[in-house]
Amino acid sequence: KLPTKKMLLSLIALLSAALLASAAPPTCYSRVLSLSKEITESFKELQTSKDVDSCVETLPRLYLDIHNYCVLAKLRDFVAYPRCDTVLEVNELKEKARSLYTILISYCRRDLVFLTDDCNALEIPI
């Protein structure tokens, strides 16, 4: 009976540690990384959707690499793009892009390191 009780206590301790580890707040970097991936995926889905307005084809490309300094200009250009304002999905995507831009220039300004400033690299996804 004793080994079973020890195993049960060990299992409870292990699960408690796992819960605490997953409850840690996201870092600025992890938040920016996940939001940029979310935006890039949403843009891909928008481009391939059959139900969206034809103006979506004219949107600036939105491949994001948060390690590239040009991502700031890319986000500004996308948010400021004047067309497709009547398309809900585009407005939602612009709002996410605006949030990412704000996080990058305000909250995470000192936490991020840009490894490159190659703007052409943001035109063609890897």
Side-chain angles (χ1 to χ4, degrees), residues 22-123:
S22 66
T27 63
C28 214
Y29 176 76
S30 66
R31 177 65 182 131
V32 166
L33 190 61
S34 67
L35 187 54
S36 68
K37 287 179 181 178
E38 181 183 331
I39 291 169
T40 299
E41 287 304 313
S42 294
F43 181 74
K44 285 179 190 175
E45 290 173 12
L46 187 63
Q47 289 286 315
T48 58
S49 175
K50 304 289 184 217
D51 302 330
V52 178
D53 195 288
S54 61
C55 76
V56 170
E57 295 172 5
T58 66
L59 286 171
R61 291 184 186 190
L62 198 57
Y63 168 68
L64 303 177
D65 175 6
I66 61 161
H67 303 103
N68 187 333
Y69 185 73
C70 292
V71 74
L72 297 173
K74 176 68 87 175
L75 288 167
R76 274 193 313 266
D77 291 347
F78 186 79
V79 169
Y81 192 72
R83 299 191 54 195
C84 298
D85 286 342
T86 59
V87 180
L88 178 64
E89 293 89 347
V90 173
N91 285 331
E92 289 173 354
L93 197 54
K94 283 184 175 184
E95 198 55 43
K96 285 181 186 178
R98 187 176 290 112
S99 294
L100 179 59
Y101 181 81
T102 301
I103 293 169
L104 283 168
I105 65 165
S106 299
Y107 305 110
C108 296
R109 185 182 61 212
R110 292 188 182 111
D111 296 345
L112 295 177
V113 175
F114 295 108
L115 304 175
T116 182
D117 62 351
D118 181 6
C119 295
N120 290 328
L122 294 179
E123 293 302 314

